[in-house]
Amino acid sequence: MASPTRLPGAGGGAGTAGAHVLALDIGGTKLAAGVVDADGRTHSFLVEPSRTELGPDAVLADLWELGRRAVADSGVAWTAIGAVGIGCGGPLDAAGGVLVAPAHLPGWVDVPVAALAEREFERPAALENDATAAAAAEFRYGAGVGTRNMVYLTISTGVGGGVVIEGRLYRGATGNGGELGHVTVDWHGRHCRGCGRRGCLEAYVSGTSIAERAVEAGMEDGVTAEQVAAAARRGEPLALSVWDETIEALACGLTSIVNLFEPELVVLGGGVTRSGEQLLAPVRERVRVRAMAPAGAAARIVAAGLGDRVGVVGAAAIVFGAAEAEAAERG
Ligand SMILES: [Zn+2]
């Protein structure tokens, strides 16, 4: 049995991680669970809707049940599961394992989710911001393998981010750093639902914002970001103007981010990036031209490698990364 010591997301205590991690991902619309090994392979992967309207107790009961099924499906023995990794949107206290007040989970205030998981599964548990965890997953197992300085953005309902500096995940003082979606691209600009300020990158390029801007531009009510992208591919003028504004905002935000970090690699994931080169090619070109030399030329901009399992693989990557950091500290 693993010791019940807390595995802080903030980088320690994972010496008992073992060969496999039960990885859990708490999203606003979906819960996911899987068993992941140290090479990033998923031995099981289960997803179900999250009934967030029922509150934390009911949702966590669903999550624990999904986790048990994920272990059963994986064929991996419980004795080989060393720890539990949990990814969730912030704000959260990674070191303390507490969900402070996640924006996508109304009414969840100060939920000690890591301690509850430890009690439920009798193993150490680590909590991490889901976008930070996804960045760790892409760095260890996905598009970022072999890099040292990498920036990750997930562009879906909102926009999240994560930063790897000199091979280490950057977390900030309390684990809420790397909020790249809230880089300002227009300080007089659109209201940002995520943080309440104006003109954040998220307020232009999230799927929600693309759809909103499309309706404002005169496209039909209820149009989705995916439909806007498809209409732009067909050359429809309204959609083209909305899509070009999306590219412009993303290039603007990414140029600032590239100037700030001079990453070797920018990895873009999330639902909006399913539009592929329709988004990436013009963004790549504009960032290359506009970023300060030589940072702009140095940064490759690529699509994420891990697809819809990134949340679960990320929750496990946090545990394996913490175990390595602890081993390195022990020498
Ligand atoms: Zn914002």
Side-chain angles (χ1 to χ4, degrees):
M1 176 66 61
S3 89
T5 312
R6 177 71 40 80
L7 272 184
T16 53
H20 296 77
V21 168
L22 170 57
L24 306 171
D25 186 26
I26 309 173
T29 57
K30 283 178 293 187
L31 302 175
V35 171
V36 182
D37 68 25
D39 295 322
R41 279 192 299 262
T42 47
H43 294 254
S44 59
F45 179 64
L46 299 174
V47 178
E48 69 177 30
S50 51
R51 305 182 294 160
T52 52
E53 70 283 359
L54 301 182
D57 290 350
V59 174
L60 289 178
D62 286 351
L63 185 67
W64 308 150
E65 176 57 29
L66 194 67
R68 290 185 192 291
R69 276 170 39 212
V71 174
D73 275 18
S74 71
V76 173
W78 271 103
T79 50
I81 309 260
V84 180
I86 306 165
C88 186
L92 52 78
D93 169 5
V98 176
L99 299 175
V100 177
H104 63 303
L105 300 171
W108 291 47
V109 177
D110 295 332
V111 177
V113 68
L116 294 171
E118 286 173 354
R119 196 175 70 192
E120 185 68 25
F121 295 110
E122 300 179 309
R123 277 155 182 78
L127 173 68
E128 187 57 86
N129 176 285
D130 53 3
T132 307
E138 289 291 339
F139 176 67
R140 291 180 72 92
Y141 306 121
V145 169
T147 64
R148 298 277 298 160
N149 295 285
M150 187 200 98
V151 164
Y152 169 82
L153 273 87
T154 173
I155 308 173
S156 57
T157 319
V159 178
V163 180
V164 174
I165 299 173
E166 295 299 332
R168 291 181 70 109
L169 201 55
Y170 177 78
R171 291 193 169 81
T174 63
N176 292 283
E179 284 286 3
L180 303 178
H182 302 281
V183 165
T184 304
V185 295
D186 178 358
W187 59 287
H188 291 303
R190 299 174 67 82
H191 175 253
C192 175
R193 284 219 191 80
C195 76
R197 293 165 69 228
R198 283 195 176 275
C200 293
L201 181 58
E202 174 172 304
Y204 293 84
V205 308
S206 71
T208 320
S209 304
I210 293 170
E212 269 177 18
R213 289 190 294 105
V215 172
E216 288 167 21
M219 293 183 75
E220 71 275 22
D221 274 349
V223 70
T224 64
E226 199 175 354
Q227 289 164 340
V228 174
R233 281 197 296 278
R234 291 192 300 270
E236 294 177 19
L238 286 178
L240 273 173
S241 73
V242 172
W243 194 252
D244 190 65
E245 188 177 50
T246 306
I247 288 164
E248 190 60 22
L250 183 55
C252 176
L254 278 183
T255 300
S256 293
I257 290 165
V258 164
N259 285 339
L260 189 56
F261 294 108
E262 200 193 359
E264 303 152 65
L265 188 70
V266 175
V267 179
L268 301 180
V272 170
T273 64
R274 283 192 208 113
S275 52
E277 288 299 303
Q278 184 190 5
L279 184 73
L280 263 63
V283 164
R284 196 180 283 134
E285 180 55 23
R286 289 182 206 191
V287 172
R288 190 185 63 77
V289 169
R290 293 176 194 170
M292 295 168 76
R300 288 184 297 127
I301 299 177
V302 302
L306 295 174
D308 62 358
R309 298 189 175 199
V310 69
V312 158
V313 176
I318 292 302
V319 174
F320 291 120
E324 284 177 9
E326 194 188 59
E329 270 170 37
R330 280 199 310 266

